[in-house]
Amino acid sequence: MKRPSASFLLRIVAMITLLVIPVWMGWVIIRLSDSETPELAHEFYPQMAMKIADRVSDQIKAADDKLRFALSIMQRNDFSWQTRQDILRNLVESNADIEAADILKDGKVLLHIYNPDLNKDGSLIADDKDAYQQYRRARHRAWSVSAQEGKAPRLHIYYPYSTILDLRVSVVLNTLWQSITGERVGQTGFVMLIGPDGQPIIYPRDRLSADDWKDLSQRHIEQIALRSMTSGFIEIRLPDGRKMLEAHAPVPELPGVVLIRQPKGEAHSMGPSNAKQMAKWIIIFFEVISALCILVLIWVEKRSHRMEVT
């Protein structure tokens, strides 16, 4: 039996090399993508928190701008008291998120206008006494947010209506409630909105237990996020040993903070999938080409051998 020629063996070695090189290239790409994953998480999550915080601020500012405009019309001297009531009533009934508007004197309600879709019995809304006292001292627009058990939080905004009267508007933050509780970060991560007292305003109850929240509130949120009012990224360990990544961004209007939490292992496993996909296809492409080339070489060598024999 004739031994394979040196040139044939050389071509076989070259093809085997081609089989090994794409595997090595793919391994290098995957290692690089894995090493970059923590850095990407440190950049991605604070940016995500800032975007959500901007969304919260934008909704509060939009409500404030709308109410300021209506208030400027109501304060015109040529309007009667009845006309001003009609303007206020139209404002409440034409905005799906406004629950009620009240004219106050020394904290007592003189006029109560409510949205029957949000307040069916027309009952007076519990006031945030601390926020109202703060407003009374400055006589300047102020707002506060109060959580509601299992419901969207309520935003109270206070305005000076006249030298002796105040306007309080209660807005139900349905849009924010739906968007934040519906926000998902990976498989088990979530987003929440924390108030100025360090207590949750909006958070997904199916992903955060009462024990987790108690630990979260007592540990660091008020100190890190609410006092500094800056965005950041930290790694924490829960009492049960789980490691978590948390990013936060301020909402100065409340003041409050948007917090994102995700298990560390899950966050790091969400590496650049595009790089891994590219590596996989590089390996498959070159492996197929190399295998076909080797088969063709073997077939050519056998055919040449048969022709020499005949």
Side-chain angles (χ1 to χ4, degrees), residues 63-254:
D64 179 48
D65 290 341
K66 185 185 298 182
L67 295 171
R68 281 175 175 269
F69 177 73
L71 182 61
S72 66
I73 297 176
M74 293 169 58
Q75 291 174 329
R76 289 176 52 175
N77 294 328
D78 55 339
F79 281 168
S80 65
W81 175 245
Q82 183 60 48
T83 301
R84 294 172 185 177
Q85 290 185 57
D86 293 339
I87 293 172
L88 192 58
R89 183 173 289 103
N90 181 67
L91 173 69
V92 172
E93 295 178 352
S94 62
N95 288 273
D97 288 340
I98 296 181
E99 183 175 7
D102 301 309
I103 300 294
L104 310 175
K105 182 179 180 181
D106 297 329
K108 297 180 180 180
V109 177
L110 301 182
L111 174 66
H112 176 62
I113 297 175
Y114 63 94
N115 185 338
D117 293 332
L118 299 175
N119 190 345
K120 295 182 180 180
D121 58 1
S123 58
L124 293 176
I125 297 170
D127 198 5
D128 186 333
K129 294 182 179 180
D130 291 337
Y132 182 66
Q133 291 303 320
Q134 181 181 354
Y135 156 77
R136 290 286 293 173
R137 286 193 296 268
R139 288 292 292 170
H140 180 69
R141 182 221 56 207
W143 46 43
S144 67
V145 178
S146 58
Q148 299 188 89
E149 186 69 24
K151 298 179 181 179
R154 184 183 287 125
L155 171 68
H156 301 286
I157 312 180
Y158 302 89
Y159 301 92
Y161 180 75
S162 69
T163 56
I164 60 172
L165 299 179
D166 306 309
L167 172 64
R168 179 188 65 199
V169 179
S170 300
V171 181
V172 179
L173 300 176
N174 281 312
T175 303
L176 281 180
W177 170 265
Q178 293 170 4
S179 63
I180 292 179
T181 55
E183 196 84 47
R184 292 294 178 261
V185 183
Q187 295 181 348
T188 62
F190 56 88
V191 180
M192 49 187 161
L193 178 63
I194 313 299
D197 56 355
Q199 296 301 311
I201 296 174
I202 302 176
Y203 68 98
R205 298 175 184 277
D206 59 329
R207 296 200 170 198
L208 185 67
S209 68
D211 291 339
D212 279 348
W213 170 249
K214 183 179 179 181
D215 173 67
L216 175 72
S217 179
Q218 292 178 349
R219 278 185 300 102
H220 62 275
I221 291 304
E222 186 174 356
Q223 295 180 355
I224 294 178
L226 299 180
R227 292 181 183 175
S228 63
M229 288 306 291
T230 58
S231 59
F233 184 87
I234 58 175
E235 178 181 323
I236 65 169
R237 182 188 293 270
L238 298 182
D240 60 7
R242 289 179 297 161
K243 292 182 178 180
M244 295 285 177
L245 299 182
E246 291 184 350
H248 57 266
V251 182
E253 289 78 11
L254 293 178

Side-chain angles (χ1 to χ4, degrees), residues 37 40 44-45 185-187 262 265-273 276:
T37 297
L40 291 174
F44 172 74
Y45 291 112
V185 183
Q187 295 181 348
Q262 186 178 26
E266 179 182 302
H268 286 182
S269 68
M270 295 170 57
S273 58
K276 294 182 179 180

